[in-house]
Amino acid sequence: MAQTLGNVAVGAIVKLNENGSPVEYLVVNQGLPSILYDGSCDGTWLLRKDIIETRVWFSDNINELEDSDIQKWLNDTMLNKYDANLRSAIKQVKIPYRFDGGLGGTNFYGDKGLLCKIFLLSDEEVGLDTAYNPDFPENGSKLNYFERGTSPSAYQKRIANLNGTPYVWCLRSPVTSEKIAVWAIATSGGFQRRDAELLAGVRPAFGAGRWEHFNCTTGTCFYLCARRSNGWK
């Protein structure tokens, strides 16, 4: 049975092929998160449930996202891990980000956002902002799946595993008081500063059109259909 991706509940799991093998992704938002986002971000937001691997954010140890190693890897190597039919469903979006790094940088929103297909989540998107630390850049708005703040349940929503064990994973948000460190989610689900040149876990995220069709299997798991010239299977 096929259904549109836009009808899948936030928090449900979608199985997507990476290098031909199904991997679990969480539906973390439906629709445009807020007016801070360009219209290209209106869709179903998907986040890899587990960390795919560890990578450095930027080997030059600078917290400038637009030139970072991690963003280049996401839009090249990571994008090509997905099946061709999935790559065609992934939207090109403009996401809120801090241009020119932390210290002295500028927060860009709307049509000035970073053009990309695959991206890391931001501090705001996982429920963190300057109320919890003044050095958060406020890149966007909270996604439906996450909880704002530092409660145990908010922490739990942010925990991610690498090979079955909780591990630190990086956000796209730089620390605004310096030019080296970026924000990451700790093994507890809290937050920590981390130099851009250090290894951290990566959880790719992307948006897809809410009209895209999935094959329904059991429970909350869905598989993306293969596109045909006359529509979807």
Side-chain angles (χ1 to χ4, degrees):
M1 177 182 177
Q3 71 176 73
T4 57
L5 185 54
N7 289 328
V8 180
V10 169
I13 291 174
V14 172
K15 287 189 176 179
L16 307 174
N17 280 349
E18 293 177 1
N19 294 326
S21 299
V23 175
E24 292 184 338
Y25 278 70
L26 286 164
V27 176
V28 291
N29 201 77
Q30 290 285 10
L32 199 66
S34 78
I35 61 173
L36 298 177
Y37 291 76
D38 182 72
S40 60
C41 298
D42 186 7
T44 299
W45 288 52
L46 297 163
L47 172 68
R48 200 179 197 274
K49 182 175 180 287
D50 292 325
I51 294 165
I52 185 169
E53 60 182 77
T54 60
R55 302 196 66 83
V56 299
W57 205 90
F58 201 162
S59 59
D60 289 346
N61 211 23
I62 300 171
N63 58 14
E64 297 177 3
L65 180 67
E66 62 270 23
D67 296 318
S68 66
D69 296 329
I70 191 61
Q71 192 57 50
K72 292 172 184 175
W73 181 84
L74 288 168
N75 276 324
D76 184 4
T77 303
M78 186 63 220
L79 180 62
N80 286 313
K81 290 180 183 289
Y82 298 121
D83 288 354
N85 62 301
L86 177 54
R87 290 198 301 271
S88 70
I90 294 173
K91 302 184 69 174
Q92 182 165 268
V93 297
K94 292 182 178 180
I95 55 169
Y97 79 111
R98 190 169 179 88
F99 172 74
D100 203 27
L103 185 64
T106 304
N107 293 332
F108 279 174
Y109 305 103
D111 63 3
K112 291 184 178 180
L114 182 70
L115 186 66
C116 59
K117 283 200 165 186
I118 315 296
F119 50 88
L120 303 176
L121 295 187
S122 73
D123 57 313
E124 284 273 4
E125 288 165 358
V126 300
L128 297 168
D129 57 34
T130 54
Y132 309 104
N133 191 293
D135 288 340
F136 281 125
E138 298 187 299
N139 291 153
S141 301
K142 188 185 75 66
L143 304 180
N144 299 150
Y145 173 76
F146 292 98
E147 296 180 23
R148 187 169 301 283
T150 55
S151 68
S153 59
Y155 271 42
Q156 188 62 40
K157 287 285 185 76
R158 299 187 195 115
I159 294 174
N161 292 335
L162 176 65
N163 300 323
T165 302
Y167 197 84
V168 60
W169 56 282
C170 53
L171 302 174
R172 70 174 184 270
S173 306
V175 175
T176 59
S177 62
E178 56 180 283
K179 295 290 288 184
I180 294 175
V182 298
W183 288 109
I185 300 301
T187 56
S188 65
F191 54 88
Q192 64 177 230
R193 299 170 187 234
R194 197 170 184 86
D195 284 0
E197 67 179 355
L198 298 178
L199 288 170
V202 179
R203 295 180 75 187
F206 63 85
R210 285 177 286 174
W211 57 88
E212 302 289 355
H213 283 69
F214 276 61
N215 278 337
C216 182
T217 56
T218 59
T220 58
C221 297
F222 301 81
Y223 292 85
L224 188 65
C225 302
R227 190 187 298 273
R228 290 177 170 175
S229 59
N230 62 344
W232 292 88
K233 287 181 181 178

PDB file of all heavy atoms in Angstrom, residues 6 44 70 194 208:
ATOM      1  N   GLY A   6       3.951  13.102   3.164  1.00  0.00           N
ATOM      2  CA  GLY A   6       3.385  14.147   4.005  1.00  0.00           C
ATOM      3  C   GLY A   6       2.374  13.634   5.012  1.00  0.00           C
ATOM      4  O   GLY A   6       2.043  14.336   5.978  1.00  0.00           O
ATOM      5  N   THR A  44       8.805  17.404   3.950  1.00  0.00           N
ATOM      6  CA  THR A  44       9.019  16.463   5.044  1.00  0.00           C
ATOM      7  C   THR A  44      10.506  16.401   5.357  1.00  0.00           C
ATOM      8  O   THR A  44      11.312  16.122   4.474  1.00  0.00           O
ATOM      9  CB  THR A  44       8.499  15.065   4.657  1.00  0.00           C
ATOM     10  OG1 THR A  44       7.099  15.138   4.397  1.00  0.00           O
ATOM     11  CG2 THR A  44       8.748  14.059   5.772  1.00  0.00           C
ATOM     12  N   ILE A  70      32.764  19.199   6.092  1.00  0.00           N
ATOM     13  CA  ILE A  70      31.578  18.385   6.339  1.00  0.00           C
ATOM     14  C   ILE A  70      30.458  18.699   5.356  1.00  0.00           C
ATOM     15  O   ILE A  70      29.775  17.798   4.865  1.00  0.00           O
ATOM     16  CB  ILE A  70      31.094  18.531   7.805  1.00  0.00           C
ATOM     17  CG1 ILE A  70      30.038  17.490   8.139  1.00  0.00           C
ATOM     18  CG2 ILE A  70      30.595  19.938   8.096  1.00  0.00           C
ATOM     19  CD1 ILE A  70      30.494  16.064   8.011  1.00  0.00           C
ATOM     20  N   ARG A 194      33.039  22.049  20.523  1.00  0.00           N
ATOM     21  CA  ARG A 194      33.998  21.086  19.982  1.00  0.00           C
ATOM     22  C   ARG A 194      34.778  21.760  18.856  1.00  0.00           C
ATOM     23  O   ARG A 194      34.195  22.366  17.962  1.00  0.00           O
ATOM     24  CB  ARG A 194      33.247  19.857  19.444  1.00  0.00           C
ATOM     25  CG  ARG A 194      34.098  18.638  19.238  1.00  0.00           C
ATOM     26  CD  ARG A 194      33.216  17.441  18.954  1.00  0.00           C
ATOM     27  NE  ARG A 194      33.980  16.214  18.839  1.00  0.00           N
ATOM     28  CZ  ARG A 194      34.325  15.441  19.869  1.00  0.00           C
ATOM     29  NH1 ARG A 194      33.966  15.792  21.090  1.00  0.00           N
ATOM     30  NH2 ARG A 194      35.018  14.329  19.685  1.00  0.00           N
ATOM     31  N   ALA A 208      12.240  16.299   1.732  1.00  0.00           N
ATOM     32  CA  ALA A 208      11.635  15.702   0.537  1.00  0.00           C
ATOM     33  C   ALA A 208      10.224  16.256   0.384  1.00  0.00           C
ATOM     34  O   ALA A 208       9.597  16.679   1.369  1.00  0.00           O
ATOM     35  CB  ALA A 208      11.594  14.178   0.648  1.00  0.00           C
TER      36      ALA A 208
END
